[in-house]
């Protein structure tokens, strides 16, 4: 089973930036499309961005398009989420996992992002 470890969250003011990282164990990572998901209190988990296994194609939720950027380094088994122009509504726990219809691995602990002045 693949283990996922997210990091990079924190408290940031509106308009600020954060870069999240997610490291996956095992050798399957490089073969899998990956995504960043988030879950705000009282809401369902939602996919905010995904990326193909080779990194050539990406997709974004409308709510983050133009502000977030997903990337990956298969040599490091790591997927990143660069978040700019953060808004209070981006406050959530952020998770990475497989994407594009493959079903998810077990979820990691996530990383908390709080956008507040």
């Amino acid at each position: 089973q693949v283990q996922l470890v997210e990091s990079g969250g924190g408290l940031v003011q509106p308009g600020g930036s954060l870069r999240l990282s997610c490291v996956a164990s095992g050798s399957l990572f490089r073969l899998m499309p990956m995504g960043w998901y988030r879950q705000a209190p009282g809401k369902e988990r939602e996919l905010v961005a995904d990326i193909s296994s080779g990194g050539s194609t990406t997709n974004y939720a409308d709510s983050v398009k133009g502000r977030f950027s997903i990337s990956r380094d298969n040599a490091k088994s790591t997927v990143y989420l660069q978040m700019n122009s953060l808004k209070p509504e981006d406050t959530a726990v952020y998770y990475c996992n497989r994407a594009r219809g493959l079903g998810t691995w077990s979820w990691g602990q996530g990383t908390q992002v709080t956008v507040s002045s």
Side-chain angles (χ1 to χ4, degrees):
Q1 181 65 280
V2 173
Q3 291 187 320
L4 301 165
V5 180
E6 300 92 349
S7 62
L11 173 63
V12 63
Q13 292 187 341
S17 297
L18 284 172
R19 188 193 194 204
L20 308 183
S21 299
C22 169
V23 179
S25 65
S27 59
L28 296 176
F29 175 86
R30 62 183 179 85
L31 301 175
M32 299 297 165
M34 294 294 293
W36 279 97
Y37 302 75
R38 68 185 181 187
Q39 187 167 23
K43 295 187 177 181
E44 292 187 356
R45 186 149 34 200
E46 63 172 344
L47 177 69
V48 296
D50 66 39
I51 187 167
S52 59
S53 58
S56 60
T57 65
T58 57
N59 296 295
Y60 297 92
D62 287 343
S63 58
V64 306
K65 201 170 293 184
R67 300 188 297 120
F68 290 10
S69 178
I70 188 171
S71 61
R72 66 190 295 161
D73 184 339
N74 284 343
K76 296 181 178 180
S77 297
T78 302
V79 60
Y80 304 97
L81 186 68
Q82 177 67 44
M83 305 187 296
N84 299 326
S85 303
L86 282 161
K87 304 176 181 180
E89 51 263 43
D90 295 318
T91 295
V93 180
Y94 284 71
Y95 304 86
C96 71
N97 214 310
R98 293 197 300 186
R100 301 194 179 181
L102 290 183
T104 56
W105 291 313
S106 296
W107 295 94
Q109 83 288 349
T111 186
Q112 175 71 48
V113 172
T114 303
V115 184
S116 175
S117 56

